Structure formats: C-alpha cells, structure tokens
C-alpha cells in the first residue's frame, strides 16, 4: 500500500509540490527582502565612498601647481645657488587612509556583486517548482539538497558582513584623516565611532550568550557556529 501511494503518478506528489511552492515563496521573499536592502545600502555607500576617494587620492600624487610654486620660490631665493627640490613623498596618514578606503570600496562592491548573484541563485532555485509530477518533486528535492549541501544560506548570511567591515574601515580612515587635519575634530569623531563599534560587537556577541536575545546578526550566526 505504501508503494502504491508513492508511485510516480500518485496524488501525494501534487500535494508535495504545493507545499514546495509555499516553501520556496517564503524563502524567496525572505532572501529577496534582505538582498534588496543590502543592494541599496551598498550602492549608496559605494557612491559616497567614491566621492571621498576622488579627493583623498590626490594625496598619493604630486600636485604640479604646488610643485611649480615651490620651484619659483626656490629660484627667487637662490638665484645664484640653485638647489634641487626634494622628491615628492606621500604622507603615512595619506597612504593609510587611501588603503583603508579603497579596501572599503572593494568590500562594498563585493557585497553588492554577491547580492546580485544571490538573487539570480534564488530565482533559479524557485524556477524548479513548475509542475506537480514525480519528476518535478525529484528535481525540487535535488535543488533543496544542493542548497543545504553547498551551504548557500551561510553564503547569504555572510554578504552583509562585507558591508559591515567596509563601514568600519571607512570610519577608521575618516578618524585618521581628521586627526591629521584637526586633532580636536578627530578626537570628537573617535568619541562617536568607538561607542558604535562597542555596540556592534556587543550586540553581535549577546545572542551567543542568551538564547532569548533579539539582537541576532550575520556575525552572531558565525560566532555561534564556531
């Protein structure tokens, strides 16, 4: 009797595929909502960061106008004893800020690229639920097994971490930049940044200590899995 109910033309596969459609719809809605938010934030963050990089990148290159002015001053002051101008060297702070901000931009774009790919993966996964036959059920089970086998849910959970790291790299670079330009303003921004970092780390670790914690985040799941 059991084999009869599980035959290729059995009614059970129709009911299975109906439940599979509901499952896929909920899964797609959950991931698409998170991925859409991530794409919007990553896009805005990358645009803002690029505007900063356009200006700060000049610190790695010699300003020809300033070089010309320095040369004119040397010529005027030393008309009979010409001395060569020292070679241009970017400051340590400028190199640090550029390195941090370019790394932040790469992570932000990586997060956006990953979210875009993940939306395609989700669409492909949902597209397998079309009919209501035994073959359709088999195909769906195969896709679901691959979803779990290749830990796709972990990959999707890791994508926001890239944008989080990018944000903190940008914040560190901003503090270094402001400390070099104006020490008081740099200290003030540091005083704002440190509590944010502490809150982020604390809220991420809190769920690993308390089961009823509402502060679950992608990094919390990673810490919990260690």
């Amino acid at each position: 009797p059991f084999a009869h109910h599980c035959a290729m033309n059995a009614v059970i596969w129709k009911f299975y595929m109906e439940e599979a459609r509901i499952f896929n719809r909920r899964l797609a809605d959950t991931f698409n909502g998170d991925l859409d938010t991530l794409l919007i934030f990553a896009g805005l963050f990358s645009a803002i960061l690029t505007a900063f990089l356009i200006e700060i990148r000049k610190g790695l290159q010699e300003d020809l106008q300033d070089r010309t002015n320095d040369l004119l001053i040397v010529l005027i002051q030393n008309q009979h004893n010409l001395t060569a101008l020292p070679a241009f060297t970017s400051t340590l702070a400028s190199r640090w800020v550029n390195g941090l901000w370019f790394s932040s931009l790469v992570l932000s774009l990586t997060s956006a690229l990953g979210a875009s790919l993940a939306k395609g993966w989700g669409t492909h996964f949902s597209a397998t639920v079309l009919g209501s036959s035994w073959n359709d059920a088999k195909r769906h089970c195969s896709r679901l097994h691959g979803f779990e086998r290749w830990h796709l849910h972990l990959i999707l959970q890791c994508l926001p971490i890239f944008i989080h790291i990018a944000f903190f790299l940008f914040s560190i670079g901003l503090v270094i930049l402001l400390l070099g330009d104006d020490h008081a303003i740099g200290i003030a921004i540091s005083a704002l940044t440190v509590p944010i970092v502490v809150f982020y780390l604390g809220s991420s670790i809190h769920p690993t200590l308390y089961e009823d914690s509402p502060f679950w985040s992608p990094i919390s799941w990673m810490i919990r899995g260690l």
Side-chain angles (χ1 to χ4, degrees), residues 172-210:
I172 294 172
L174 184 62
V175 169
I176 294 175
L177 176 66
L178 293 177
L179 284 173
D181 292 343
D182 190 298
H183 194 72
I185 296 179
I187 293 296
I189 298 301
S190 300
L192 293 175
T193 303
V194 171
I196 295 175
V197 175
V198 172
F199 174 78
Y200 177 82
L201 294 176
S203 62
S204 299
I205 297 174
H206 190 267
T208 64
L209 303 176
Y210 303 96

Short mmCIF file of all heavy atoms in Angstrom, two decimals, residues 172-210:
data_model
loop_
_atom_site.label_atom_id
_atom_site.label_comp_id
_atom_site.label_asym_id
_atom_site.label_seq_id
_atom_site.Cartn_x
_atom_site.Cartn_y
_atom_site.Cartn_z
N ILE A 172 37.48 54.14 10.32
CA ILE A 172 38.86 54.24 10.79
C ILE A 172 39.65 55.21 9.93
O ILE A 172 40.41 56.05 10.44
CB ILE A 172 39.52 52.85 10.78
CG1 ILE A 172 38.83 51.93 11.80
CG2 ILE A 172 41.01 52.96 11.11
CD1 ILE A 172 39.30 50.48 11.72
N GLY A 173 39.48 55.10 8.61
CA GLY A 173 40.17 56.03 7.72
C GLY A 173 39.75 57.47 7.94
O GLY A 173 40.58 58.39 7.88
N LEU A 174 38.47 57.68 8.21
CA LEU A 174 37.98 59.04 8.46
C LEU A 174 38.59 59.62 9.73
O LEU A 174 38.97 60.80 9.77
CB LEU A 174 36.45 59.01 8.58
CG LEU A 174 35.75 60.35 8.76
CD1 LEU A 174 36.00 61.25 7.55
CD2 LEU A 174 34.25 60.15 8.98
N VAL A 175 38.72 58.79 10.76
CA VAL A 175 39.33 59.25 12.01
C VAL A 175 40.79 59.63 11.78
O VAL A 175 41.27 60.67 12.26
CB VAL A 175 39.21 58.16 13.10
CG1 VAL A 175 40.07 58.52 14.31
CG2 VAL A 175 37.75 57.99 13.52
N ILE A 176 41.53 58.78 11.05
CA ILE A 176 42.94 59.08 10.77
C ILE A 176 43.07 60.38 9.98
O ILE A 176 43.95 61.22 10.25
CB ILE A 176 43.58 57.91 9.99
CG1 ILE A 176 43.63 56.65 10.86
CG2 ILE A 176 44.99 58.28 9.53
CD1 ILE A 176 44.13 55.43 10.13
N LEU A 177 42.20 60.57 9.00
CA LEU A 177 42.24 61.78 8.19
C LEU A 177 41.98 63.02 9.03
O LEU A 177 42.71 64.02 8.93
CB LEU A 177 41.21 61.67 7.06
CG LEU A 177 41.05 62.90 6.16
CD1 LEU A 177 42.32 63.14 5.36
CD2 LEU A 177 39.85 62.73 5.23
N LEU A 178 40.97 62.96 9.87
CA LEU A 178 40.61 64.13 10.68
C LEU A 178 41.63 64.40 11.77
O LEU A 178 41.86 65.56 12.12
CB LEU A 178 39.22 63.92 11.29
CG LEU A 178 38.06 63.89 10.28
CD1 LEU A 178 36.74 63.61 10.98
CD2 LEU A 178 37.98 65.21 9.52
N LEU A 179 42.24 63.36 12.31
CA LEU A 179 43.29 63.57 13.31
C LEU A 179 44.47 64.32 12.71
O LEU A 179 45.12 65.12 13.40
CB LEU A 179 43.75 62.23 13.89
CG LEU A 179 42.81 61.56 14.90
CD1 LEU A 179 43.33 60.18 15.27
CD2 LEU A 179 42.66 62.41 16.16
N GLY A 180 44.75 64.06 11.44
CA GLY A 180 45.84 64.77 10.78
C GLY A 180 45.48 66.19 10.42
O GLY A 180 46.34 67.09 10.45
N ASP A 181 44.20 66.44 10.08
CA ASP A 181 43.78 67.79 9.70
C ASP A 181 43.49 68.67 10.91
O ASP A 181 43.90 69.83 10.96
CB ASP A 181 42.53 67.71 8.81
CG ASP A 181 42.84 67.09 7.46
OD1 ASP A 181 44.02 67.02 7.09
OD2 ASP A 181 41.89 66.65 6.77
N ASP A 182 42.75 68.13 11.85
CA ASP A 182 42.39 68.88 13.06
C ASP A 182 42.25 67.88 14.20
O ASP A 182 41.32 67.07 14.20
CB ASP A 182 41.08 69.65 12.84
CG ASP A 182 40.80 70.63 13.97
OD1 ASP A 182 40.64 70.18 15.12
OD2 ASP A 182 40.74 71.85 13.70
N HIS A 183 43.17 67.96 15.14
CA HIS A 183 43.22 66.96 16.21
C HIS A 183 41.93 66.95 17.04
O HIS A 183 41.44 65.88 17.41
CB HIS A 183 44.42 67.23 17.12
CG HIS A 183 44.75 66.09 18.03
ND1 HIS A 183 45.32 64.92 17.58
CD2 HIS A 183 44.56 65.93 19.37
CE1 HIS A 183 45.48 64.09 18.59
NE2 HIS A 183 45.03 64.68 19.69
N ALA A 184 41.38 68.10 17.31
CA ALA A 184 40.18 68.19 18.15
C ALA A 184 38.99 67.51 17.46
O ALA A 184 38.24 66.75 18.08
CB ALA A 184 39.86 69.64 18.47
N ILE A 185 38.82 67.80 16.17
CA ILE A 185 37.72 67.18 15.43
C ILE A 185 37.93 65.67 15.33
O ILE A 185 36.99 64.88 15.44
CB ILE A 185 37.59 67.80 14.03
CG1 ILE A 185 37.21 69.28 14.15
CG2 ILE A 185 36.55 67.05 13.20
CD1 ILE A 185 37.10 69.99 12.82
N GLY A 186 39.19 65.26 15.13
CA GLY A 186 39.49 63.84 15.07
C GLY A 186 39.13 63.12 16.37
O GLY A 186 38.58 62.01 16.35
N ILE A 187 39.43 63.75 17.50
CA ILE A 187 39.08 63.17 18.79
C ILE A 187 37.57 63.08 18.95
O ILE A 187 37.03 62.08 19.45
CB ILE A 187 39.68 64.01 19.94
CG1 ILE A 187 41.22 63.91 19.92
CG2 ILE A 187 39.14 63.55 21.28
CD1 ILE A 187 41.75 62.53 20.19
N ALA A 188 36.86 64.11 18.50
CA ALA A 188 35.39 64.11 18.61
C ALA A 188 34.78 62.99 17.78
O ALA A 188 33.87 62.28 18.24
CB ALA A 188 34.84 65.46 18.16
N ILE A 189 35.26 62.80 16.56
CA ILE A 189 34.74 61.73 15.70
C ILE A 189 35.11 60.36 16.28
O ILE A 189 34.32 59.41 16.21
CB ILE A 189 35.28 61.88 14.27
CG1 ILE A 189 34.80 63.20 13.66
CG2 ILE A 189 34.84 60.71 13.40
CD1 ILE A 189 33.29 63.33 13.59
N SER A 190 36.29 60.26 16.87
CA SER A 190 36.68 59.00 17.51
C SER A 190 35.75 58.67 18.67
O SER A 190 35.37 57.51 18.87
CB SER A 190 38.12 59.10 18.03
OG SER A 190 39.02 59.35 16.97
N ALA A 191 35.36 59.71 19.42
CA ALA A 191 34.45 59.50 20.54
C ALA A 191 33.08 59.03 20.08
O ALA A 191 32.37 58.34 20.81
CB ALA A 191 34.32 60.80 21.34
N LEU A 192 32.70 59.38 18.85
CA LEU A 192 31.43 58.90 18.29
C LEU A 192 31.57 57.49 17.71
O LEU A 192 30.64 56.69 17.76
CB LEU A 192 30.94 59.86 17.20
CG LEU A 192 30.50 61.25 17.65
CD1 LEU A 192 30.16 62.10 16.44
CD2 LEU A 192 29.30 61.17 18.59
N THR A 193 32.74 57.20 17.15
CA THR A 193 32.94 55.92 16.46
C THR A 193 33.11 54.76 17.43
O THR A 193 32.57 53.67 17.22
CB THR A 193 34.18 56.01 15.54
OG1 THR A 193 34.01 57.10 14.62
CG2 THR A 193 34.37 54.72 14.77
N VAL A 194 33.86 54.98 18.50
CA VAL A 194 34.15 53.90 19.45
C VAL A 194 32.87 53.31 20.05
O VAL A 194 32.72 52.08 20.09
CB VAL A 194 35.12 54.39 20.55
CG1 VAL A 194 35.23 53.35 21.66
CG2 VAL A 194 36.49 54.68 19.95
N PRO A 195 31.92 54.12 20.54
CA PRO A 195 30.68 53.51 21.07
C PRO A 195 29.91 52.71 20.02
O PRO A 195 29.28 51.69 20.36
CB PRO A 195 29.87 54.73 21.54
CG PRO A 195 30.87 55.79 21.78
CD PRO A 195 31.93 55.57 20.75
N ILE A 196 29.95 53.15 18.77
CA ILE A 196 29.26 52.40 17.71
C ILE A 196 29.89 51.03 17.53
O ILE A 196 29.19 50.01 17.41
CB ILE A 196 29.31 53.19 16.39
CG1 ILE A 196 28.51 54.49 16.52
CG2 ILE A 196 28.75 52.36 15.24
CD1 ILE A 196 28.61 55.40 15.31
N VAL A 197 31.23 50.99 17.54
CA VAL A 197 31.93 49.71 17.40
C VAL A 197 31.63 48.80 18.59
O VAL A 197 31.38 47.60 18.44
CB VAL A 197 33.45 49.95 17.26
CG1 VAL A 197 34.20 48.62 17.24
CG2 VAL A 197 33.75 50.74 16.00
N VAL A 198 31.66 49.38 19.79
CA VAL A 198 31.39 48.60 21.00
C VAL A 198 29.97 48.04 20.98
O VAL A 198 29.73 46.87 21.31
CB VAL A 198 31.61 49.46 22.26
CG1 VAL A 198 31.15 48.72 23.51
CG2 VAL A 198 33.09 49.83 22.38
N PHE A 199 29.00 48.88 20.57
CA PHE A 199 27.61 48.42 20.50
C PHE A 199 27.46 47.31 19.47
O PHE A 199 26.75 46.31 19.70
CB PHE A 199 26.69 49.59 20.15
CG PHE A 199 25.26 49.17 19.92
CD1 PHE A 199 24.42 48.91 20.99
CD2 PHE A 199 24.76 49.04 18.63
CE1 PHE A 199 23.11 48.51 20.79
CE2 PHE A 199 23.45 48.64 18.41
CZ PHE A 199 22.62 48.38 19.49
N TYR A 200 28.11 47.47 18.32
CA TYR A 200 28.02 46.45 17.26
C TYR A 200 28.57 45.11 17.74
O TYR A 200 27.93 44.07 17.57
CB TYR A 200 28.77 46.93 16.03
CG TYR A 200 28.80 45.91 14.91
CD1 TYR A 200 27.73 45.78 14.04
CD2 TYR A 200 29.91 45.08 14.73
CE1 TYR A 200 27.74 44.85 13.02
CE2 TYR A 200 29.94 44.14 13.71
CZ TYR A 200 28.85 44.04 12.85
OH TYR A 200 28.88 43.10 11.85
N LEU A 201 29.75 45.14 18.34
CA LEU A 201 30.36 43.90 18.82
C LEU A 201 29.55 43.30 19.97
O LEU A 201 29.33 42.09 20.02
CB LEU A 201 31.80 44.17 19.27
CG LEU A 201 32.78 44.58 18.16
CD1 LEU A 201 34.14 44.90 18.76
CD2 LEU A 201 32.90 43.48 17.12
N GLY A 202 29.08 44.17 20.87
CA GLY A 202 28.30 43.67 22.00
C GLY A 202 26.99 43.04 21.57
O GLY A 202 26.60 41.97 22.05
N SER A 203 26.28 43.71 20.64
CA SER A 203 25.01 43.17 20.17
C SER A 203 25.20 41.91 19.34
O SER A 203 24.29 41.08 19.25
CB SER A 203 24.27 44.23 19.34
OG SER A 203 25.02 44.58 18.19
N SER A 204 26.38 41.75 18.73
CA SER A 204 26.65 40.54 17.94
C SER A 204 27.00 39.36 18.83
O SER A 204 26.66 38.21 18.52
CB SER A 204 27.80 40.80 16.96
OG SER A 204 27.46 41.83 16.05
N ILE A 205 27.67 39.62 19.94
CA ILE A 205 28.06 38.55 20.86
C ILE A 205 26.92 38.17 21.79
O ILE A 205 26.80 37.01 22.22
CB ILE A 205 29.30 38.99 21.67
CG1 ILE A 205 30.49 39.22 20.72
CG2 ILE A 205 29.66 37.95 22.73
CD1 ILE A 205 31.71 39.78 21.41
N HIS A 206 26.04 39.12 22.09
CA HIS A 206 24.95 38.88 23.04
C HIS A 206 24.10 37.65 22.70
O HIS A 206 23.80 36.85 23.60
CB HIS A 206 24.07 40.14 23.10
CG HIS A 206 23.06 40.12 24.20
ND1 HIS A 206 21.77 39.66 24.02
CD2 HIS A 206 23.15 40.48 25.51
CE1 HIS A 206 21.11 39.76 25.15
NE2 HIS A 206 21.91 40.25 26.08
N PRO A 207 23.71 37.42 21.43
CA PRO A 207 22.89 36.23 21.13
C PRO A 207 23.61 34.91 21.37
O PRO A 207 22.95 33.88 21.54
CB PRO A 207 22.56 36.41 19.64
CG PRO A 207 22.71 37.86 19.38
CD PRO A 207 23.83 38.30 20.26
N THR A 208 24.93 34.93 21.36
CA THR A 208 25.66 33.69 21.61
C THR A 208 25.67 33.32 23.09
O THR A 208 25.99 32.19 23.45
CB THR A 208 27.12 33.82 21.12
OG1 THR A 208 27.80 34.83 21.89
CG2 THR A 208 27.15 34.22 19.65
N LEU A 209 25.29 34.28 23.93
CA LEU A 209 25.26 34.04 25.37
C LEU A 209 23.85 33.82 25.90
O LEU A 209 23.67 33.12 26.90
CB LEU A 209 25.90 35.23 26.11
CG LEU A 209 27.35 35.57 25.70
CD1 LEU A 209 27.82 36.82 26.44
CD2 LEU A 209 28.28 34.40 25.99
N TYR A 210 22.87 34.43 25.22
CA TYR A 210 21.48 34.34 25.69
C TYR A 210 20.58 33.89 24.53
O TYR A 210 20.54 34.54 23.48
CB TYR A 210 21.01 35.69 26.22
CG TYR A 210 21.87 36.23 27.34
CD1 TYR A 210 22.89 37.15 27.08
CD2 TYR A 210 21.68 35.82 28.66
CE1 TYR A 210 23.68 37.64 28.10
CE2 TYR A 210 22.47 36.31 29.69
CZ TYR A 210 23.47 37.22 29.40
OH TYR A 210 24.26 37.71 30.41
#
